[in-house]
Amino acid sequence: MSKNNRRKGHVYERYLAKLFRALGYEKCKTSREASRLYDNCGYDLWGIPFLVQAKAGYKKSRIKPDELFLKMEKAMEQFPEDERNLLKNYPKLIFNKLDGYKDENHIVSMMFKDFVKLQIELSVYKGILSSKEAKELYGQLL
């Protein structure tokens, strides 16, 4: 990895950490700052209820989300069992910033099951579904 790509990645991680702090996740830090284990596993942010991998650049050779999600899942084996059980409930997100900050250059990928979980939780929060209905949906869909 060239120094420029590495620098871009670190700048992007700090940008995302600042964004999540502004969204109310006050303890959010880059994993390089907060946890060597998180950083070694490829999770780039710490202190939020998501497993995030941040990628900057890659305009010509695009990332492969399916491969990154598998790597994130496999990396989880390094955590102690109690923490691993907690982390596997966190949605896995891949933030990919192509060159520039235009909306179309800033892409977030997630697994379908994580998207459905978030939508069900949002529906419970908004009062559209009861907790009982949400549990039934989880069972049917996931």
Side-chain angles (χ1 to χ4, degrees), residues 12-121:
Y12 188 51
E13 288 171 19
R14 289 190 299 271
Y15 167 80
L16 289 174
K18 185 177 178 181
L19 172 70
F20 275 103
R21 283 192 300 271
L23 292 171
Y25 298 101
E26 295 142 8
K27 295 181 181 180
C28 182
K29 298 179 180 185
T30 66
S31 61
R32 284 178 294 111
E33 179 183 3
S35 169
R36 175 172 267 180
L37 181 57
Y38 263 65
D39 196 40
N40 290 344
C41 288
Y43 306 140
D44 294 322
L45 298 179
W46 177 91
I48 58 175
F50 308 102
L51 297 175
V52 171
Q53 186 147 117
K55 298 291 181 189
Y58 302 95
K59 193 169 191 170
K60 291 184 181 168
S61 62
R62 300 286 174 108
I63 63 166
K64 296 179 174 87
D66 55 334
E67 292 176 11
L68 288 173
F69 286 129
L70 286 174
K71 273 175 88 173
M72 292 170 82
E73 191 70 35
K74 189 165 179 69
M76 207 177 288
E77 295 170 6
Q78 297 179 43
F79 286 90
E81 187 175 352
D82 58 336
E83 195 167 354
R84 187 173 45 233
N85 289 336
L86 175 68
L87 291 176
K88 67 181 169 183
N89 291 317
Y90 285 4
K92 294 170 196 68
L93 306 172
I94 299 171
F95 286 77
N96 187 18
K97 183 183 78 63
L98 306 173
D99 296 331
Y101 280 90
K102 295 178 186 172
D103 285 344
E104 62 271 15
N105 290 350
H106 204 149
I107 301 163
V108 179
S109 299
M110 69 187 324
M111 294 173 55
F112 178 74
K113 69 175 184 152
D114 290 336
F115 175 78
V116 171
K117 280 184 188 178
L118 286 175
Q119 292 306 308
I120 291 172
E121 289 175 22

